Amino acid sequence: MSTSNSGTENLLPRLLIVDDAASIRNLLTRLLIPQGFEVESAENGQQALTLLEQSSFDLVITDIAMPIMDGLALTQKIVGTLPVDVIVMTGRIDEYSYDQVVSLGASDYIGKPFSAEEILLRVNRVLRERALRAESLRLQQEKEQASRFEAIGQLAAGIAHEINTPIQYIGDNVQFIGDSFQDVLDLLDKVGALIRDAGVKSLEDGYRNAAETADLDFMIREIPVAVEQTREGVDRIKEIIKAMKNFSHPGQEAHAMADLNQCIEATVIISKNEWKYIADLEMDLDENLPEIRCNPGELNQAVLNLIVNACHAVEEKMTGNAGQKGRIGIRTRLRENGVEIEVEDTGCGIPDDVLDRIFDPFFTTKAIGKGTGQGLAITRSIVVKRHNGTIDVETWPGMGTRFVIRLPLSP
């Protein structure tokens, strides 16, 4: 089954109501759903933790006095562990104070009985503060990412510049050796012909013995091959240097006209170490793609994030299948209103229950140390906010995922 999601749509805030009284759960559910919230409920803290492990929520509204696990214990387990805010409510306001509850990490405190207006006011305030924190974290992370990317770009450009000169010497010298060796072969052919024409047997034997001692036939056969392989290696290094220069664009902030196909080719070369042992990468780039006004360095970063994400998905699917590789496909197309960049993989796909969260900052399903949850969030920000484009995802759980970036010709 294919499922899809867009990086531009607004998702409904998800709320979890925790109370052992069905009347309170039903009351809050009837109140909050018409206000644009997605609501689920649980009867106690343990049941709530199970739901929190299975799905993502923005806010938990929990009573304190409950069987199995009370609201304070639930709050302590949530705070610092799960990315969700907590509002604690209780009818025992003489027993549990605001300061006591907030000191445990709760975002707010509501006394029972409460009015509909008070609940909505406090829920909206907590969610608004949550959104502001997330935006602040995202901007800070993007700034740090941009700073690191610029520093890496400057370093890469400097290294590329330093490598380029000696590589040019090596390339010129290899060309000289190849051409000169051919001249030497021509000379040896003429010497051999002159000796044979002279008809002096001792000279012919001496020449043949010298050629055999020097293993001349082997050199004639193998030296051109070695020279050609060296030329190919030098050309490969030149491609990498060019890719490093094209990828880095150090310090570039303004948009400029750029060739997207060249950007993608540079990014594929730079990221080769990520995918070469995991997947076969195929490119289908539209030769008629026009240059577009963009920030090439940022788009390089966006495509790199998608390639790395695809590598991780393929690697996860291929775990236990030694020797097998997946596939990553990158495609560009000119459309009526702009251009498309498509990155598709044959990885594990994205589970339906997290598809709506993949562009959220710091959200990740990867193991600790494997990912920061910022790659797709930054990619979406680059595409949507910096280039007025869109990014959509279509996934087939267990089979693969396709991301499609759409960019206007002149954002």
Side-chain angles (χ1 to χ4, degrees):
M1 181 180 70
S2 167
T3 54
S4 63
N5 182 33
S6 169
T8 58
E9 62 188 25
N10 295 319
L11 303 175
L12 296 178
R14 300 194 70 219
L15 276 57
L16 177 59
I17 310 300
V18 190
D19 200 304
D20 58 333
S23 59
I24 298 294
R25 298 197 304 271
N26 295 335
L27 172 64
L28 289 175
T29 299
R30 289 196 303 269
L31 173 63
L32 293 168
I33 287 180
Q35 300 300 320
F37 300 112
E38 185 178 334
V39 178
E40 288 194 40
S41 61
E43 297 179 8
N44 55 64
Q46 189 60 55
Q47 193 178 95
L49 281 179
T50 301
L51 289 173
L52 288 166
E53 291 171 356
Q54 294 173 348
S55 188
S56 298
F57 291 88
D58 298 290
L59 176 63
V60 172
I61 304 175
T62 180
D63 188 25
I64 292 181
M66 296 181 294
I68 303 179
M69 181 188 292
D70 66 25
L72 296 183
L74 173 63
T75 300
Q76 288 179 302
K77 287 186 174 295
I78 290 175
V79 174
T81 305
L82 299 172
V84 58
D85 285 84
V86 180
I87 294 177
V88 171
M89 57 183 178
T90 183
R92 302 179 182 179
I93 56 177
D94 55 338
E95 184 177 348
Y96 301 102
S97 68
Y98 175 89
D99 291 340
Q100 177 187 0
V101 170
V102 172
S103 68
L104 295 176
S107 299
D108 209 342
Y109 171 91
I110 300 175
K112 294 180 180 178
F114 47 75
S115 67
E117 292 77 9
E118 182 182 13
I119 281 287
L120 292 175
L121 179 67
R122 292 178 182 270
V123 165
N124 284 318
R125 183 185 65 78
V126 170
L127 290 176
R128 183 167 60 250
E129 290 177 354
R130 174 183 174 83
L132 289 173
R133 289 198 308 272
E135 180 68 7
S136 177
L137 284 171
R138 184 188 65 78
L139 292 174
Q140 179 183 352
Q141 186 71 17
E142 281 190 23
K143 185 177 180 181
E144 292 173 356
Q145 180 83 0
S147 178
R148 288 196 298 269
F149 186 55
E150 180 177 343
I152 292 170
Q154 290 173 338
L155 178 64
I159 292 173
H161 177 74
E162 292 298 322
I163 294 175
N164 195 52
T165 300
I167 285 298
Q168 191 65 48
Y169 293 154
I170 294 171
D172 292 344
N173 288 339
V174 170
Q175 182 69 40
F176 168 74
I177 291 170
D179 295 341
S180 298
F181 183 70
Q182 186 58 51
D183 293 339
V184 171
L185 289 182
D186 293 342
L187 175 61
L188 289 174
D189 285 343
K190 290 177 182 178
V191 169
L194 288 173
I195 290 174
R196 286 192 298 274
D197 291 344
V200 180
K201 190 175 185 306
S202 60
L203 283 176
E204 289 186 29
D205 291 343
Y207 179 79
R208 184 170 56 256
N209 290 336
E212 289 176 354
T213 301
D215 206 354
L216 184 60
D217 288 342
F218 175 80
M219 288 191 291
I220 291 173
R221 183 174 67 252
E222 294 300 327
I223 288 179
V225 175
V227 169
E228 184 58 32
Q229 289 176 344
T230 305
R231 281 177 180 164
E232 291 176 357
V234 169
D235 289 342
R236 175 66 178 153
I237 294 173
K238 286 180 178 178
E239 286 181 7
I240 294 173
I241 291 171
K242 181 181 178 182
M244 289 173 69
K245 288 181 175 180
N246 290 340
F247 184 85
S248 60
H249 293 278
Q252 180 173 341
E253 295 182 359
H255 284 50
M257 300 303 293
D259 186 331
L260 275 184
N261 287 343
Q262 285 186 2
C263 290
I264 291 170
E265 289 169 347
T267 304
V268 166
I269 291 173
I270 290 295
S271 64
K272 186 172 183 178
N273 198 55
E274 289 282 343
W275 53 261
K276 65 179 179 180
Y277 301 114
I278 296 170
D280 295 318
L281 193 147
E282 303 169 1
M283 288 190 290
D284 179 13
L285 307 182
D286 190 343
E287 296 179 354
N288 298 317
L289 208 66
E291 290 189 342
I292 69 166
R293 183 167 294 279
C294 64
N295 185 305
E298 291 181 347
L299 288 183
N300 285 342
Q301 181 67 60
V303 174
L304 177 63
N305 289 344
L306 293 182
I307 292 175
V308 171
N309 197 69
C311 288
H312 290 167
V314 171
E315 184 178 23
E316 182 178 339
K317 183 178 178 180
M318 291 297 142
T319 300
N321 297 313
Q324 295 187 28
K325 297 170 72 173
R327 185 186 68 82
I328 299 173
I330 304 178
R331 177 172 190 263
T332 58
R333 287 293 181 268
L334 176 63
R335 300 302 184 197
E336 183 177 355
N337 297 321
V339 297
E340 283 185 359
I341 304 171
E342 185 178 291
V343 180
E344 185 175 9
D345 64 68
T346 58
C348 58
I350 302 171
D352 293 344
D353 59 340
V354 301
L355 184 62
D356 290 344
R357 311 301 256 181
I358 61 171
F359 293 108
D360 290 355
F362 306 106
F363 177 79
T364 179
T365 59
K366 299 182 179 72
I368 295 174
K370 188 67 173 177
T372 64
Q374 280 296 88
L376 291 180
I378 289 173
T379 297
R380 179 189 180 279
S381 180
I382 289 171
V383 172
V384 177
K385 296 192 175 184
R386 293 283 292 155
H387 291 83
N388 293 333
T390 63
I391 179 169
D392 298 292
V393 57
E394 189 173 9
T395 187
W396 300 267
M399 298 176 63
T401 301
R402 178 191 298 129
F403 285 92
V404 181
I405 294 174
R406 296 180 178 87
L407 301 170
L409 294 177
S410 181

